[in-house]
Amino acid sequence: VQLQASGGGSVEAGGSLRLSCKAPARTFARTSMGWFRQPPGKEREFVATITWAGEMARYADSVKGRFTISRDEPKHTVYLQMNSLRPEDTAVYYCAGKGGSSSLRGDDYDYWGQGTLVTVSS
C-alpha cells in the first residue's frame, strides 16, 4: 500500500502549513492513521494519530494545541494542520497507516508514505 504525503515546505517561525496524505480508497476505511517526524540527526518520533473512525486523536506533548490531525473519508486523505510552527518542528514528516486501533508506536504501523520536508526558520 502506497501512501502519498505532500504539503511540506519552508516557513518562518509562527507560520502554518498543512500536510496531506492520500491513501488508496480500498484501504482507507478501517485504517488508523498517524504522523511521525524525523528531525535532522535525530530518531523518528510520534506526532499525532487518529482512529479509523475519526472519533479520537492523540498528540505528542510538543505539538498539542498547535497541530490538528483530521481525515476526509470521501477523499481518503488524512491531514496535519500545523500552526504556530517553531524551528524545532523542522523535520521530515511521514504519514503511516495501520489496521485497527491507533498507536503511538511507529513499529505498529504497516504502511508508510515517502516523507515530506518541513523547514521552519527563526
Side-chain angles (χ1 to χ4, degrees):
V1 174
Q2 183 65 42
L3 304 179
Q4 297 178 336
S6 62
S10 297
V11 64
E12 293 185 351
S16 298
L17 283 173
R18 188 177 78 159
L19 305 183
S20 301
C21 176
K22 195 174 183 72
R26 69 182 186 279
T27 59
F28 192 64
R30 303 274 180 177
T31 298
S32 295
M33 301 295 293
W35 285 97
F36 294 80
R37 67 187 182 187
Q38 186 165 17
K42 297 183 179 180
E43 294 187 351
R44 184 182 64 196
E45 60 187 32
F46 165 75
V47 176
T49 185
I50 188 166
T51 53
W52 64 267
E55 84 282 9
M56 185 176 70
R58 292 182 285 176
Y59 300 90
D61 288 343
S62 59
V63 306
K64 276 182 184 175
R66 300 188 298 123
F67 291 12
T68 302
I69 188 172
S70 62
R71 57 192 295 153
D72 186 324
E73 299 301 322
K75 295 182 179 179
H76 40 97
T77 298
V78 64
Y79 301 100
L80 185 68
Q81 177 66 44
M82 305 185 296
N83 299 328
S84 302
L85 282 161
R86 304 167 180 168
E88 53 264 40
D89 294 318
T90 294
V92 177
Y93 284 72
Y94 298 91
C95 62
K98 66 179 294 293
S101 59
S102 63
S103 174
L104 278 62
R105 286 167 32 91
D107 289 346
D108 291 339
Y109 286 78
D110 303 308
Y111 319 119
W112 289 86
Q114 79 280 15
T116 184
L117 176 62
V118 172
T119 303
V120 184
S121 58
S122 58

